[in-house]
Amino acid sequence: MKASSPLWIAALLLVGAAGAFWGAGSVPVALLCLAAVAAVVALSGVTRRILGALLFVVGVAGAFSGHWLAIAGGVLVVASGALQVALGARMPKIGMGGQKPRAHDPETDMWRALERGDDPTDDKTPGGTTSNE
C-alpha cells in the first residue's frame, strides 16, 4: 500500500462522517468533520496523531445523540482518528512529494538581482572589488 493511501482513506472517512452527521441534524459536528479533512491533509507527524486522538473522542461523543446516522458518522470519525493515530507519522504532508529542483536560469538570476537592487551588469570579481577602478 502506498504511503498516501491511508491519508486519503482518513479524509474520505471524514467526508462520509460529515454527510452522516449532516443527515442526522448535527450540523456543527458535520462542519467540524469537514474542517478536519483540511487539517488531516495539511498536518504531519505528531500533530496529525494528536488530531487523530481528538477526532477519536469527537466520534465517540458524536455517536451518543442516538440517531442511527449520527452513530454511523461517529463510527467513521473514530475509524479516521484511529487510522491517523496508528499511521499518522507515515502519511505524507501535502506538497511534499514530486518536487524537482529548478534548473539554473541566468536570466532569472539577473531579474532577481534587479529586484534586490543589485546591478547585474556590474563586472565584479569574486573578491568583491570592481574591475573599473
Side-chain angles (χ1 to χ4, degrees), residues 102-116:
R102 284 190 266 169
H104 178 70
D105 184 15
E107 186 174 336
T108 304
D109 292 342
M110 288 179 61
W111 282 108
R112 287 191 181 136
L114 283 173
E115 288 174 353
R116 285 191 309 266

Side-chain angles (χ1 to χ4, degrees), residues 30-131:
L31 293 175
L32 179 98
C33 290
L34 290 176
V37 171
V40 166
V41 174
L43 296 176
S44 65
V46 174
T47 53
R48 186 180 284 151
R49 292 178 122 182
I50 292 170
L51 175 69
L54 289 172
L55 286 174
F56 192 89
V57 172
V58 166
V60 170
F64 277 111
S65 77
H67 194 278
W68 68 273
L69 278 173
I71 294 170
V75 168
L76 292 174
V77 172
V78 166
S80 177
L83 187 63
Q84 291 174 51
V85 169
L87 302 175
R90 287 186 256 160
M91 294 179 192
K93 185 177 179 185
I94 191 169
M96 295 299 288
Q99 293 181 357
K100 296 184 213 173
R102 284 190 266 169
H104 178 70
D105 184 15
E107 186 174 336
T108 304
D109 292 342
M110 288 179 61
W111 282 108
R112 287 191 181 136
L114 283 173
E115 288 174 353
R116 285 191 309 266
D118 298 335
D119 183 5
T121 61
D122 191 16
D123 293 332
K124 294 184 180 177
T125 59
T129 59
T130 61
S131 59

